[in-house]
């Protein structure tokens, strides 16, 4: 995309006004999607984003500029803008010697999106539509989408780092609406991985569609959720976002550094029940949040955050790590070359324990069994978080019984982590988009079946 | 990024419209939006 | 830029984040190729000039050149000043600032089509916001303050600092309250997002595709009789105001709900043709990355005539909601299910009383709309697409300890 000599000169320009550290991030991203709705292939859409973002750090201040012009002149202009945005210093010339680094690279797709015939994408959408409609007469509307993205990045910085990576992701989404006497209900499923078209060999579109359809149908019979304190059993995969919200965001070093996390100054202390092991792993197989190098050029890693209930470390981006004298952990990510990187999660997993999931349900007298959820959010400064359940059932006397309507569960991160009292020996993951300060990045979360006591459920049925 | 004048944006759009083929409708939207720097304080996740 | 190609009633789309003409031509070719795969739909087609210009376009003054002429250093200084001002409101108890931000945006765009559309727009907005923190550890409470204008010169930092400090400090010592069924007073900052949800159910695209709780309910009472909901992008008080929509059609005032009755849907050219109602100038672009959809951008509930204080004075026991958490995961405009986390203050004997946290409030959007028993006189113009106003809903399930 950009010649190393040009990157070199761009960094020199960026440092010419006395910057301490500079970085060029080059990105070329191509994305394609196809959308079926209302029984018809509605639209195919393509996008291309190509450009560079340049950062210059002087003390605590960061200058940033971005450009879609990758010519030497375009990069020079952006480098000048970034250097003047950072507080000006002594000036002078600094030479940067880039050392290209080799690394294993992000997972290589079996079928690159560009090599897949459009017919196959469309056929998958039709398959999903038919399968969803065949699931039940009450299915009124089916929307299905296929999306792939191919992202090539180059990162070069004034430490001499020079790395490149290609990241290919594919996702398939189905949303169904079911119509019943009590109104409309929706069901949704959307697996995504860092792979090419082989996603659909791993996840049959018809099966994705049936899961979404069944979820909508089940909810037609759902009764109002209860109110007040309850015991929550989270099915494997479904509740990973609980940890993403309950503590993941609070363990991002930039928020800790701003004194906006309840987990500040807690390293080495007990923050969760014994047996709770939480890891953020950007190298995990072909996870939705997997990559070889982060958007600051640091290799992704498997980082233990909580070990047997004790907080072991935060996640770090390059700037916050530099500020605090910590090694970066491969968690510096950005939505695009137009955005500044921040500390971000990748694949955040609570590791499996040794209890049979069936025993967890059987030993729960009364509570809620959560099978699917819609997402959540957290105030990291207070630790208060919520997440929405989209498919859940009552547990009565150790048995899963009636479905309940959508509701939010609310808790406090540090409290909920200590209220985990059973961890299953199974495991599954969930793909989503994590938003922070207006930037969205692909992440996954995962967990075994587990039980949390004392969460508050926001239903409408009297307790 | 410097803001582009409407004339510049029209010039690009007009060039593409001129490439439209017979019987084809083409619409070009050209926007130059500066990136808002205001931030939301609450991280959140959606599927 | 974004390019839409329609051939034989089949639509394809492509975008490119650059003004490079070669990349733009690639995108045009890609959009053309994408169009071949879409199913033909007789209602697909670009809007014609007569439809786009069916009404005179509003003359709006929504751009202030000061947004660009004020030096960047001064803007950065505003964020620092807001931080210091907020801390200074109570050095003892406000222990830190989570974020203090200044932001501005100049949106400049043109739309040109083979059907004769040729329109341009330019808009500016500037805002500064701050989140203050008080209290230690999990007892920390946060509160938000903001100020918004067409340029940095229009901002009132002092007001933002006051709001953030007051909203933070009044929550100090909050505990989880008991579960109950209570009347709920929504603060204007919160009600704006509720109003946005109601408008989403009036979205013509959602209605056509059966994904709205208002499907087949046109002409029916869907809200309390005092509720009139208006979408009006020609009202220049909205920071999102504009004379043309995302397809170049003139915008106009549309009453979505008239005295409680679902009166009209929002439509773009496609949904307007398909539903037979015609476009309302509501084509919405979420950037250039996708073809225009349908969306509200300037929503207002006709205000009542009492202040928030007067409304609260009439309530024996209730909950005043200062902030909501989890709206995007807990509210569905399809089923109407509503269950959201809330922080705020209890209302006792007509006054704000002790603060509460970690509560949820739940109902259905349908019941909430019918239960709006009072609308405040206190309109607040926000950076988003809806005006905030105090709302009283007569009864919701509150869940806590």
């Amino acid at each position: 995309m950009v010649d190393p000599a040009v990157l070199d000169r761009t960094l020199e320009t960026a440092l010419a006004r006395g910057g301490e550290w500079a970085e060029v991030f080059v990105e070329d991203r191509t994305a394609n999607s196809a959308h079926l709705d209302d029984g018809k292939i509605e639209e195919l859409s393509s996008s291309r984003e190509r450009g560079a973002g340049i950062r210059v750090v002087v003390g605590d201040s960061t200058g940033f500029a971005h450009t879609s012009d990758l010519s030497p002149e375009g990069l020079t202009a952006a480098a000048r803008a970034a250097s003047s945005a950072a507080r000006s210093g002594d000036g002078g010339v600094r030479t940067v010697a880039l050392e290209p680094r080799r690394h294993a690279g992000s997972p290589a797709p079996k079928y690159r999106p560009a090599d897949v015939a459009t017919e196959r994408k469309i056929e998958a959408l039709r398959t999903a539509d038919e399968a969803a409609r065949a699931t039940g007469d009450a299915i009124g509307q089916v929307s299905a989408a296929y999306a792939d993205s191919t992202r090539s990045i180059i990162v070069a910085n004034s430490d001499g780092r020079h790395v490149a990576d290609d990241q290919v992701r594919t996702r398939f989404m189905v949303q169904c609406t079911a119509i019943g006497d009590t109104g409309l209900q929706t069901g949704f499923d959307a697996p995504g991985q860092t792979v090419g078209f082989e996603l659909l060999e791993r996840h049959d579109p018809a099966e994705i569609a049936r899961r979404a359809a069944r979820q909508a149908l089940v909810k037609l019979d759902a009764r109002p959720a209860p109110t007040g304190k309850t015991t929550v059993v989270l099915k494997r995969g479904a509740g990973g976002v609980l940890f993403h919200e309950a503590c993941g965001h609070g363990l991002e070093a930039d928020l800790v550094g701003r004194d906006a996390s309840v987990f500040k100054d807690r390293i080495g202390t007990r923050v969760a029940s014994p047996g709770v092991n939480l890891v953020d792993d950007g190298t995990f197989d072909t996870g939705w949040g997997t990559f070889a190098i982060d958007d600051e050029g640091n290799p992704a890693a498997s980082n233990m955050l909580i070990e047997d209930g004790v907080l072991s470390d935060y996640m770090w981006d390059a700037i916050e790590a530099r500020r605090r004298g910590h090694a970066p952990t491969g968690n510096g990510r950005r939505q695009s070359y137009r955005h500044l990187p921040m500390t971000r999660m990748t694949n955040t997993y609570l590791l499996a324990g040794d209890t049979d999931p069936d025993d967890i349900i059987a030993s729960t007298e009364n509570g809620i069994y959560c099978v699917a959820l819609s997402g959540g959010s957290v105030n990291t400064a207070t630790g208060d978080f919520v997440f929405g359940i989209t498919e859940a059932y009552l547990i009565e006397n150790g048995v899963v019984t009636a479905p309940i309507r959508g509701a939010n569960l609310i808790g406090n991160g540090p409290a909920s982590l200590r209220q985990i009292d059973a961890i299953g020996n199974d495991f599954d993951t969930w793909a989503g988009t994590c938003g922070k300060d207006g930037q969205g990045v692909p992440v996954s979360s995962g967990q075994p079946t587990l039980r949390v006591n004392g969460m508050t459920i926001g239903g409408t049925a009297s307790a | 990024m410097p803001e582009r004048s409407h004339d510049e944006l029209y010039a690009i759009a007009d060039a593409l419209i001129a490439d439209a083929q017979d019987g084809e409708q083409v619409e070009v939207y050209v926007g130059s939006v500066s990136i808002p720097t205001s931030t939301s304080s609450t991280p959140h996740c959606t599927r | 830029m974004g390019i839409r190609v329609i051939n034989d009633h089949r639509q394809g789309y492509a975008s490119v984040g650059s003004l490079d003409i070669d990349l733009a031509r690639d995108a045009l070719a890609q959009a053309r190729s994408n169009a071949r795969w879409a199913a033909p739909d007789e209602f697909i087609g670009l809007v014609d000039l007569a439809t786009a210009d069916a009404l005179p376009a509003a003359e709006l003054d929504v751009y202030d050149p000061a947004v660009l002429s004020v030096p960047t250093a001064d803007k950065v200084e505003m964020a620092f000043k807001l931080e210091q001002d907020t801390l200074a409101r109570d050095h003892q108890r406000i222990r830190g600032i989570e974020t203090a931000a200044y932001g501005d945006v100049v949106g400049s765009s043109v739309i040109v089509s083979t059907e004769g559309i040729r329109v341009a727009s330019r808009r500016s907005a500037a805002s500064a916001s701050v989140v203050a923190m008080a209290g230690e550890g999990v007892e920390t409470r946060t509160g938000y303050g903001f100020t918004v204008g067409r340029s940095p010169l229009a901002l009132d930092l002092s007001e933002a600092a006051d709001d953030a400090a007051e909203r933070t400090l009044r929550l100090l010592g909050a505990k989880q309250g008991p579960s109950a069924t209570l009347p709920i007073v929504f603060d204007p900052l919160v009600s704006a997002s509720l109003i946005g949800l109601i408008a989403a159910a009036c979205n013509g695209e959602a209605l056509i595709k059966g994904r709205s709780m208002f499907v087949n309910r046109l002409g029916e009472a869907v809200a309390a009789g005092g509720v009139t909901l208006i979408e009006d992008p020609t009202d220049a008080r909205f920071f999102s105001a504009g004379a043309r929509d995302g397809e170049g059609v003139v915008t106009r005032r549309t009453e979505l709900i008239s005295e409680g009755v679902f009166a009209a849907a929002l439509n773009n050219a496609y949904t307007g043709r398909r539903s037979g109602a015609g476009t309302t100038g509501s084509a919405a672009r979420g950037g250039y990355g996708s073809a225009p959809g349908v969306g509200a951008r300037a929503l207002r509930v006709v205000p009542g005539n009492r202040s928030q204080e007067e409304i609260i004075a009439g309530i024996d026991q209730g909950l005043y909601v200062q902030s909501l958490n989890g709206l995007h995961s807990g509210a569905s405009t399809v089923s109407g299910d509503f269950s959201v986390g809330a922080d705020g203050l209890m209302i006792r004997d007509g006054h704000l009383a002790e603060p509460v946290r970690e509560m949820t409030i739940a109902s259905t959007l349908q019941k909430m709309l019918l239960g709006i028993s009072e609308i405040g006189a206190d309109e607040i113009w926000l950076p988003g697409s809806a005006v905030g106003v105090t709302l009283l809903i007569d009864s919701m399930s509150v869940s806590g300890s």
Side-chain angles (χ1 to χ4, degrees), chain C residues 151-188:
Chain C
S151 92
L153 305 178
L155 301 185
D156 182 349
L157 297 180
S158 164
E159 188 186 324
D162 284 344
D163 285 351
E166 186 199 346
R167 295 165 76 85
T168 306
L169 294 174
R170 71 183 181 189
L171 290 187
L172 271 180
K175 301 266 182 289
Q176 192 173 41
S179 300
T181 300
L182 293 172
I184 307 287
V185 175
F186 288 97
D187 184 83

Side-chain angles (χ1 to χ4, degrees), chain C residues 165-242:
Chain C
E166 186 199 346
R167 295 165 76 85
T168 306
L169 294 174
R170 71 183 181 189
L171 290 187
L172 271 180
K175 301 266 182 289
Q176 192 173 41
S179 300
T181 300
L182 293 172
I184 307 287
V185 175
F186 288 97
D187 184 83
L189 263 58
V190 172
S191 69
S193 39
L194 297 181
I195 291 165
L197 283 178
I198 298 163
C202 303
N203 180 310
E205 193 172 358
L207 288 162
I208 280 174
K209 293 179 178 164
R211 281 193 281 268
S212 161
M213 60 187 183
F214 289 167
V215 168
N216 297 328
R217 299 205 58 195
L218 208 62
E220 289 180 26
V222 296
V227 178
T228 293
L229 174 64
I230 298 162
E231 156 76 1
D232 188 5
T234 69
D235 184 339
R237 291 175 295 178
F238 284 98
F239 294 99
S240 50

Side-chain angles (χ1 to χ4, degrees), chain C residues 88-135:
Chain C
R89 292 293 185 274
D90 192 331
H91 270 301
Q92 295 293 315
R93 293 187 297 164
I94 297 179
R95 70 159 165 91
I97 300 298
E98 187 182 336
T99 55
Y102 166 86
D104 59 38
V105 60
V106 174
S108 177
S109 64
V110 304
I111 302 171
V112 180
S113 81
T114 51
E115 310 313 292
I117 304 292
R118 193 179 164 82
V119 299
S121 72
R122 177 177 284 117
R123 185 166 65 228
S124 68
S127 65
S129 62
V130 61
V131 177
M133 298 186 287

Side-chain angles (χ1 to χ4, degrees), chain A residues 307-354:
Chain A
E307 194 162 3
D308 200 19
V310 174
L311 183 60
S312 42
D313 200 358
Y314 305 121
M315 291 165 275
W316 298 83
D317 65 87
I319 295 286
E320 196 62 29
R322 198 168 173 272
R323 198 173 280 157
R324 309 280 168 185
H326 193 284
T329 55
N331 289 97
R333 303 182 70 188
R334 50 175 135 207
Q335 182 175 309
S336 82
Y337 72 87
R338 293 192 181 86
H339 298 86
L340 275 165
M342 292 182 279
T343 320
R344 302 304 296 264
M345 283 177 262
T346 62
N347 306 298
T348 312
Y349 297 153
L350 188 97
L351 305 182
D354 48 20

Side-chain angles (χ1 to χ4, degrees), chain C residues 55-77:
Chain C
L55 299 167
E59 303 253 342
L60 299 173
D61 183 14
V62 292
Y63 178 71
D64 183 342
V67 74
L68 293 178
S69 63
V70 171
T72 304
D74 292 5
K75 296 174 179 177
V76 172
E77 194 50 44

Side-chain angles (χ1 to χ4, degrees), chain A residues 114-420:
Chain A
D115 300 338
V116 177
T118 306
E119 286 92 337
R120 296 188 63 195
K121 302 175 184 176
I122 286 178
E123 191 187 303
L125 293 172
R126 294 219 171 94
T127 301
D129 187 48
E130 283 162 25
R133 290 180 190 280
T135 307
D137 292 340
I139 295 297
Q141 196 58 273
V142 179
S143 162
Y146 162 90
D148 63 50
S149 69
T150 303
R151 181 183 193 239
S152 300
I153 61 168
I154 298 172
V155 188
N157 69 27
S158 57
D159 298 331
R161 183 174 294 268
H162 179 201
V163 289
D165 193 26
D166 295 325
Q167 299 160 2
V168 175
R169 293 191 170 88
T170 303
R171 199 169 189 201
F172 196 84
M173 292 165 268
V174 180
Q175 189 197 24
C176 296
T177 307
I179 308 165
D181 299 338
T182 52
L184 305 175
Q185 285 290 347
T186 57
F188 184 70
D189 196 39
Q193 291 183 4
T194 301
V195 296
F197 198 72
E198 64 269 30
L199 177 80
L200 301 186
E201 293 177 348
R202 300 178 181 193
H203 293 273
D204 176 11
E207 194 43 48
I208 297 168
R210 281 192 284 269
R211 273 199 298 273
R214 274 197 296 263
Q215 192 182 94
L217 293 170
V218 160
K219 286 162 69 182
L220 286 179
D221 297 326
R223 60 174 77 169
T227 51
K229 295 278 185 197
T230 187
T231 299
V232 178
V233 177
L234 298 154
K235 186 182 174 178
R236 66 177 188 278
V241 76
L242 185 147
F243 298 95
H244 179 104
E245 306 298 351
C247 62
H249 280 296
L251 300 179
E252 292 166 343
D254 55 354
L255 293 172
V256 176
R258 269 193 247 160
D259 204 3
S261 167
V262 282
F263 293 100
K264 189 184 184 231
D265 298 330
R266 298 295 304 276
I267 300 279
T269 68
R270 173 161 300 283
V271 295
S273 305
V276 171
N277 293 292
L278 186 73
V279 66
D280 182 83
D281 186 355
T283 68
F284 182 84
D285 190 29
T286 55
W288 183 236
T290 295
F291 47 79
I293 56 164
D294 72 4
D295 301 333
E296 299 180 303
N298 290 306
S302 174
N303 298 300
M304 205 71 188
L305 303 175
I306 298 175
E307 194 162 3
D308 200 19
V310 174
L311 183 60
S312 42
D313 200 358
Y314 305 121
M315 291 165 275
W316 298 83
D317 65 87
I319 295 286
E320 196 62 29
R322 198 168 173 272
R323 198 173 280 157
R324 309 280 168 185
H326 193 284
T329 55
N331 289 97
R333 303 182 70 188
R334 50 175 135 207
Q335 182 175 309
S336 82
Y337 72 87
R338 293 192 181 86
H339 298 86
L340 275 165
M342 292 182 279
T343 320
R344 302 304 296 264
M345 283 177 262
T346 62
N347 306 298
T348 312
Y349 297 153
L350 188 97
L351 305 182
D354 48 20
T355 310
D356 186 324
D358 291 342
D359 291 344
I360 296 178
I361 294 169
S363 61
T364 304
E365 196 174 337
N366 285 298
I368 303 297
Y369 181 54
C370 295
V371 173
L373 41 76
S374 56
S377 58
V378 63
N379 180 335
T380 58
T382 69
D384 289 347
F385 69 96
V386 300
F387 65 91
I389 50 177
T390 51
E391 182 182 349
Y393 302 81
L394 293 175
I395 300 174
E396 296 172 295
N397 300 316
V399 179
V400 174
T401 61
I404 57 173
R405 295 184 74 144
N408 255 311
L409 285 163
I410 191 163
N412 180 269
S416 294
L417 289 177
R418 289 164 170 276
Q419 286 160 347
I420 296 167

